[in-house]
């Protein structure tokens, strides 16, 4: 595990690699948002990364995020929090209250629950539809062949603005074809955001158009 000082140095390295991959692809480095995935790490491991200027973080569990982020937010009010793990509809109220973005909209019931909570709380989150590009039975996300229709349904039937698509390629696959596929689907669905790329493959994702990369262990160390 990387020590706390290690996380700050690692953050700088990740930022530099994102910028280099963006320039290589003739993209603006600022067009890529680094989501620092802090799941399983305690507040004292996260604070140095906040002090180093990182503001966008990802958590995969509502309950865990609720335990540590309200206090960190009091110290750093401009934090932007992304939910990157599966959401149950009975947690929609808590998720909408706590997060600024939900990357894992993947079924009608969740879309409706999130829409109802955003209306109730008067809060607008950035929403991404998760696509199961590898069609893995154990993995969350809409099937690729349903993705475009689901985005349209979210817009037209539920009135939800969808910011983009998100994917987690199968661990055993080369990621590039999944990233390219997600970009194609986003084009068909008419959404601009592409949340793709993790510690092992974020540079590849940036070269294929990622607007958000979700990087955990390369910053915070092993979990
Ligand atoms: C944990 C997680 C990440 C970060 O993974 P690393 O390999 O540690 O960078 C990214 N996305 C999702 C959805 C995750 O659950």
């Amino acid at each position: 595990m990387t020590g706390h000082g290690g996380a700050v140095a690692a953050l700088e390295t990740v930022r530099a690699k994102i910028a280099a991959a963006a320039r290589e692809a003739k993209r603006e480095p600022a067009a890529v948002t680094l989501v620092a995935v802090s799941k399983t790490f305690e507040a004292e491991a996260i604070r140095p990364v906040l002090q180093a200027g990182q503001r966008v973080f990802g958590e995969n569990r509502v309950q865990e995020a609720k335990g540590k982020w309200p206090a960190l937010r009091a110290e750093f009010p401009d934090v932007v929090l992304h939910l990157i793990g599966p959401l149950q509809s009975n947690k929609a109220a808590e998720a909408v209250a706590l997060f600024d973005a939900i990357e894992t909209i993947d079924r009608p019931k969740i879309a409706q629950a999130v829409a109802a909570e955003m209306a109730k709380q008067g809060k607008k989150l950035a929403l991404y539809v998760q696509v199961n590009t590898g069609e893995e039975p154990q993995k969350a996300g809409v099937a690729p062949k349903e993705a475009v229709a689901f985005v349209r349904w979210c817009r037209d039937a539920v009135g939800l603005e969808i910011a983009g698509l998100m994917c987690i390629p199968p661990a055993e696959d080369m990621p590039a074809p999944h990233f390219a596929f997600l970009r194609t689907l986003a084009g068909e669905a008419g959404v601009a955001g592409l949340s793709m790329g993790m510690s092992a493959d974020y540079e590849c994702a940036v070269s294929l158009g990622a607007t958000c990369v979700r990087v955990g262990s390369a910053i915070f160390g092993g979990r």
Side-chain angles (χ1 to χ4, degrees):
M1 174 175 152
T2 313
H4 298 174
V8 171
L11 172 72
E12 294 313 323
T13 302
V14 169
R15 281 186 182 155
K17 287 185 173 175
I18 289 170
R23 283 193 203 96
E24 178 95 356
K26 310 249 181 297
R27 303 182 59 209
E28 282 295 324
V32 185
T33 298
L34 169 60
V35 180
V37 176
S38 49
K39 66 187 185 196
T40 77
F41 288 92
E42 308 276 350
E44 63 261 32
I46 300 170
R47 192 173 287 106
V49 174
L50 282 157
Q51 284 162 342
Q54 177 66 25
R55 284 297 179 272
V56 187
F57 289 83
E59 290 282 347
N60 67 335
R61 289 164 188 268
V62 175
Q63 231 34 51
E64 180 187 342
K66 214 181 148 191
K68 60 191 179 187
W69 279 100
L72 287 169
R73 252 220 178 102
E75 288 175 64
F76 302 92
D78 55 342
V79 154
V80 176
L81 214 50
H82 287 223
L83 177 63
I84 61 170
L87 177 60
Q88 309 296 317
S89 53
N90 63 1
K91 295 266 171 65
E94 285 176 303
V96 167
L98 185 61
F99 288 92
D100 304 288
I102 296 175
E103 299 204 11
T104 50
I105 304 291
D106 68 349
R107 55 196 189 278
K109 197 177 173 192
I110 288 299
Q112 285 165 327
V114 167
E117 279 304 326
M118 292 200 310
K120 196 169 157 190
Q121 298 183 29
K123 194 176 167 191
K124 192 157 181 257
L125 280 71
L127 303 175
Y128 292 74
V129 167
Q130 182 175 354
V131 183
N132 188 359
T133 57
E135 302 191 65
E136 297 171 280
Q138 81 285 5
K139 201 166 266 175
V142 298
K145 63 179 183 304
E146 290 162 12
V148 173
F150 182 66
V151 169
R152 290 202 182 117
W153 179 85
C154 285
R155 273 197 213 124
D156 301 340
V158 193
L160 279 182
E161 194 177 310
I162 299 297
L165 303 183
M166 177 272 217
C167 77
I168 309 169
E172 67 277 11
D173 281 11
M174 296 286 290
H178 292 271
F179 297 157
F181 185 34
L182 195 72
R183 182 168 66 178
T184 299
L185 289 174
E188 289 172 15
V191 295
L194 284 171
S195 176
M196 55 191 199
M198 313 188 353
S199 289
D201 51 26
Y202 64 90
E203 292 165 277
C204 170
V206 169
S207 71
L208 289 168
T211 61
C212 283
V213 292
R214 310 177 309 268
V215 180
S217 49
I219 296 171
F220 291 101
R223 289 182 294 269

